Amino acid sequence: MRVLFFLFLVLTGLMIAIPPQVKAVQFTYDSTHVTLWYPTVLRIDGKLLFAGQFRVLEPTSNPWTFDTLRSASFLCGKQACNTEANPVAAAWQKVGGDLRATELDLEKFRGFLASAQQTQRSMQDYVSSNSCEVLSKGPSRPAFACSASEAQEVATTTCLIREMGAKLCEKGGKDVLPEDAPKFFRDAVAREGCGAIVHEITGERYNLLDKTIKKYTDELGITLLSELLGVFSKDLKEGFDWSVAAAKTKACIPSGMLLCRQKQSAWEEAYSLHFSKYDQPIKWCNEAKVKLDGAAQEIVSNEKYIAIGTANLSRLKGEQDRLEKLRETRSVSHFLGDL
């Protein structure tokens, strides 16, 4: 009995004196699990325990490799265990930090987006309620107004149509009319449109009596004039009595030039008066448009950042879930196996 008791004391002394032998270490996202080759007395959280394994929660300031009871390091084979951080916990903590940073970024960009959208709505309301589009454009230039350099060509073209080119005008007019117009109307509208150009440019009264035809002629005079300017050339002189037409055209041109220049002058005066009268409101409208454009750009940028952040958030959550299921185990041989 004494011998057995003596052996027990020796073994107990050795167990207390010799640092614990590590058999395996398992890393998880929240702790480090250590398994010993044989149970031994340990001091864990200030308590003495007899155990063959223990768990260290992460993060921890005390490395699991140090045996506080014996003031010595654990043994990994013949050597003392090296202090090693838990790689799974470190990766999980980094992902957690990235997640929090991404969530803060998303919250920030969502705030920026909401602010930009509010600015956009406010500026749209301002532009609409203050008729900014109309103010910024000013009075529209009359269809038959002309600058000094344009007067000769505009007047000559319309007078040529009047004196020489009725058939040519009608053909050109039909080419620019809507395709859904019936043939009868296309022919009639072309004739009416040519007449409207000539009477308008010469200052004579001209009324379209047929409401059905007028449906297609609201801006026909403008369209025909723009289509036919410069269309007359030497190749088109055939079939016309130029000696007679030239005299009629010459008599027509001065009144046409005078009328289009008068319209130009009246428009220029109205244009200047408009921008002088509405100078400050126009500046405010322009500022509103600048803010509106800036808000639109901010909305596009913030939506882009939010989409990127959302995708990154999803990826990080997936990585976090993977790490929480990961068990990384490292086996350690017994010191007798290394002898």
Side-chain angles (χ1 to χ4, degrees):
M1 291 294 294
R2 288 182 178 179
V3 173
L4 292 174
F5 180 73
F6 176 75
L7 289 174
F8 173 76
L9 291 176
V10 171
L11 289 173
T12 302
L14 289 172
M15 291 175 63
I16 294 174
I18 300 175
Q21 289 276 317
V22 177
K23 183 177 183 181
V25 181
Q26 184 182 79
F27 300 111
T28 66
Y29 80 99
D30 64 346
S31 59
T32 300
H33 301 257
V34 181
T35 302
L36 305 175
W37 278 100
Y38 47 83
T40 187
V41 179
L42 302 169
R43 178 180 288 160
I44 300 176
D45 295 333
K47 299 178 181 179
L48 292 178
L49 300 174
F50 184 74
Q53 60 181 14
F54 61 93
R55 177 186 178 205
V56 178
L57 296 177
E58 295 289 350
T60 177
S61 58
N62 298 320
W64 63 266
T65 55
F66 188 75
D67 179 12
T68 57
L69 179 63
R70 302 166 184 81
S71 298
S73 296
F74 286 91
L75 292 177
C76 293
K78 292 191 297 182
Q79 307 296 328
C81 295
N82 295 321
T83 300
E84 182 178 9
N86 182 330
V88 179
W92 184 83
Q93 289 161 18
K94 182 180 183 305
V95 168
D98 292 344
L99 268 172
R100 288 187 292 275
T102 301
E103 288 169 345
L104 288 174
D105 284 343
L106 279 172
E107 183 180 353
K108 177 179 68 176
F109 287 122
R110 285 179 181 131
F112 291 160
L113 177 61
S115 177
Q117 289 172 333
Q118 177 59 42
T119 299
Q120 185 184 56
R121 288 190 293 269
S122 297
M123 293 303 101
Q124 285 174 336
D125 290 343
Y126 184 90
V127 169
S128 176
S129 60
N130 289 276
S131 303
C132 285
E133 294 299 327
V134 175
L135 284 178
S136 298
K137 289 180 180 178
S140 298
R141 184 185 182 189
F144 296 98
C146 59
S147 64
S149 61
E150 298 169 330
Q152 181 73 30
E153 184 179 7
V154 171
T156 300
T157 299
T158 54
C159 290
L160 281 170
I161 292 172
R162 177 182 183 182
E163 303 300 338
M164 303 161 48
K167 293 295 182 184
L168 177 64
C169 178
E170 290 176 26
K171 181 181 183 303
K174 285 185 281 189
D175 289 342
V176 298
L177 283 172
E179 293 182 359
D180 65 337
K183 182 179 184 302
F184 167 78
F185 288 141
R186 289 168 66 84
D187 294 343
V189 167
R191 288 193 298 273
E192 297 289 341
C194 290
I197 289 177
V198 176
H199 286 75
E200 175 73 20
I201 201 67
T202 56
E204 302 172 17
R205 287 179 60 83
Y206 188 85
N207 294 314
L208 293 176
L209 301 178
D210 192 320
K211 294 182 180 180
T212 306
I213 291 177
K214 190 171 183 180
K215 167 187 175 184
Y216 296 101
T217 59
D218 287 341
E219 296 187 5
L220 182 60
I222 303 171
T223 306
L224 284 177
L225 187 63
S226 65
E227 289 288 332
L228 295 171
L229 283 177
V231 78
F232 291 92
S233 65
K234 293 180 180 179
D235 296 334
L236 297 174
K237 290 181 180 179
E238 297 180 5
F240 298 102
D241 185 349
W242 285 94
S243 61
V244 176
K248 292 183 178 181
T249 302
K250 185 176 180 180
C252 167
I253 288 174
S255 64
M257 292 178 64
L258 178 62
L259 182 61
C260 77
R261 290 295 295 127
Q262 286 175 341
K263 289 192 174 186
Q264 176 79 8
S265 297
W267 170 71
E268 289 176 353
E269 183 179 351
Y271 195 82
S272 298
L273 181 62
H274 172 85
F275 282 96
S276 175
K277 180 180 180 181
Y278 296 104
D279 177 65
Q280 189 59 55
I282 289 172
K283 287 181 180 178
W284 289 333
C285 282
N286 290 337
E287 290 175 1
K289 289 178 181 178
V290 170
K291 291 180 180 179
L292 185 60
D293 291 341
Q297 293 176 5
E298 285 186 30
I299 288 172
V300 171
S301 297
N302 287 313
E303 286 178 341
K304 175 184 175 182
Y305 293 140
I306 288 172
I308 293 172
T310 301
N312 194 40
L313 191 70
S314 178
R315 180 187 64 80
L316 290 170
K317 286 182 177 179
E319 178 63 8
Q320 189 180 57
D321 290 342
R322 185 190 72 82
L323 289 170
E324 289 178 358
K325 297 172 185 172
L326 182 62
R327 301 289 184 269
E328 187 174 310
T329 302
R330 300 181 186 179
S331 300
V332 181
S333 60
H334 195 277
F335 79 95
L336 293 178
D338 294 332
L339 296 177

